[in-house]
Amino acid sequence: GKAEENTFSIAFPARGIGAVLLFVTGIFAAAGLAEDERKGLFLCVPQEKRWQYTFLGILAPVALESAAVLLSLYLTGSAIKGVAGFGKEAGALLLYSGVIAVFSTVLKAIGRKPEVLIGTVPFFMIGSLALCPVFIDAGRWIPLLDQAGKLFLPYYYLHLFA
C-alpha cells in the first residue's frame, strides 16, 4: 500500500512563547516598580506624574525584550518574510508592548504591593499558555476556551497573525 502523507506539522511556537514572555515581563516590571516605591525611590516625583513614570518604567524592559522576541522570530524562521513582514512584526510588537505597559500600570495601581503583583504571575502565565493559541488553538474545537482566552493579552497579539 501507499504511505499516507503527513499533513500535520508542528512549528516551533516562538511567537506564542514570546507573547507570554513579554506579558509576564510587564507584570514583573510593575512589581519591581512597586518595590522601588516602597523603598521611597519616587518620593521626589509629584503624585500626578507617577503614573507616567510607572508606564515608562514598565515599557522600557518590555520594549527591550520585544526587540529580542523580534530577533528570535527571525532566527527561528517564524517571522513574516520581506520588508513588509518586518514592518508588520515590528509594529505588532510595538503595539503589544504599549498595551502590556498600560495593562501592567493599571494592575500595579490595583495591586500596589509587589507581593500581590508577583502573585498574579502564575495565573496570567498559566492562563495564557493554556487558553491562548501558544502551542495549539484549542478554541477552534472548544468555543468556550476561545472565550476564556480573551481574558489574556497574548490572545489578541497572536490573533493578529492567525
Side-chain angles (χ1 to χ4, degrees):
K2 279 187 148 184
E4 291 184 29
E5 182 181 339
N6 181 6
T7 57
F8 180 75
S9 64
I10 298 175
F12 182 70
R15 186 180 315 283
I17 291 172
V20 175
L21 176 67
L22 290 172
F23 189 33
V24 170
T25 297
I27 298 169
F28 274 118
L33 287 171
E35 181 63 27
D36 289 345
E37 276 187 10
R38 178 190 286 172
K39 292 178 180 177
L41 185 65
F42 293 107
L43 287 177
C44 62
V45 177
Q47 189 67 34
E48 64 274 1
K49 290 193 177 215
R50 285 191 186 176
W51 73 269
Q52 295 168 335
Y53 283 81
T54 299
F55 174 78
L56 292 173
I58 293 168
L59 183 62
V62 173
L64 185 60
E65 188 130 11
S66 71
V69 169
L70 181 61
L71 179 62
S72 72
L73 289 173
Y74 278 93
L75 292 175
T76 61
S78 302
I80 301 171
K81 307 294 183 236
V83 176
F86 179 80
K88 181 175 180 178
E89 294 283 1
L93 280 167
L94 185 64
L95 175 65
Y96 184 52
S97 295
V99 171
I100 289 170
V102 169
F103 174 85
S104 298
T105 300
V106 171
L107 187 65
K108 183 187 164 294
I110 295 168
R112 296 186 183 190
K113 295 182 179 181
E115 298 84 7
V116 171
L117 296 168
I118 295 294
T120 66
V121 169
F123 169 76
F124 286 117
M125 186 167 59
I126 293 169
S128 295
L129 289 170
L131 299 173
C132 298
V134 173
F135 299 104
I136 61 167
D137 189 357
R140 287 184 179 178
W141 300 288
I142 305 170
L144 184 61
L145 292 180
D146 187 59
Q147 296 302 313
K150 292 178 181 178
L151 297 172
F152 302 93
L153 289 182
Y155 174 92
Y156 299 98
Y157 169 73
L158 294 171
H159 275 78
L160 288 175
F161 300 94

